[in-house]
Amino acid sequence: MKLRSTAWKSVLVGGMCMVAGYFVLPSGTSQTIVYSVIGKASVVCILVGIHLHRPKDRLGWYLLAVAVACFTLGDDVFTVYSRSEEHTSELQSRQYL
């Protein structure tokens, strides 16, 4: 029970530190990496929250985790392809949809 009551506080403080750290990073590459980590961490937090709280209707939470994962993956694919010569990609568009 203690884990449930303190986990959200730890995630909140850690997330605030990550967001604050994002803005003080010197290069765009390091900011891109932190942005990607924050996106992936949010998916993990949703899944851990489902496991800890065991809501009756889990489907909506799982769909939210999938949607956030697709959005994060879309950002990662966009970042990789925007640094290459071809700036548009069908794969990139599919991830956002």
Side-chain angles (χ1 to χ4, degrees):
M1 188 66 175
K2 178 126 172 104
L3 178 64
R4 285 186 189 180
S5 63
T6 60
W8 72 270
K9 294 174 189 174
S10 300
V11 170
L12 178 64
V13 170
M16 289 170 61
C17 290
M18 291 282 288
V19 170
Y22 171 86
F23 290 106
V24 298
L25 289 173
S27 71
T29 303
S30 56
Q31 286 181 333
T32 301
I33 292 169
V34 170
Y35 182 80
S36 180
V37 168
I38 290 171
K40 289 170 181 51
S42 63
V43 174
V44 171
C45 287
I46 293 168
L47 295 174
V48 168
I50 293 169
H51 178 73
L52 286 177
H53 297 285
R54 303 214 184 264
K56 184 178 177 183
D57 296 323
R58 295 183 189 141
L59 179 61
W61 289 105
Y62 284 123
L63 291 174
L64 179 64
V66 168
V68 173
C70 286
F71 183 80
T72 302
L73 184 60
D75 277 344
D76 293 342
V77 170
F78 176 80
T79 300
V80 169
Y81 278 102
S82 67
R83 293 182 182 190
S84 67
E85 290 184 19
E86 186 176 323
H87 293 287
T88 59
S89 167
E90 186 176 332
L91 174 63
Q92 173 184 344
S93 300
R94 287 183 184 177
Q95 295 304 320
Y96 282 111
L97 294 176

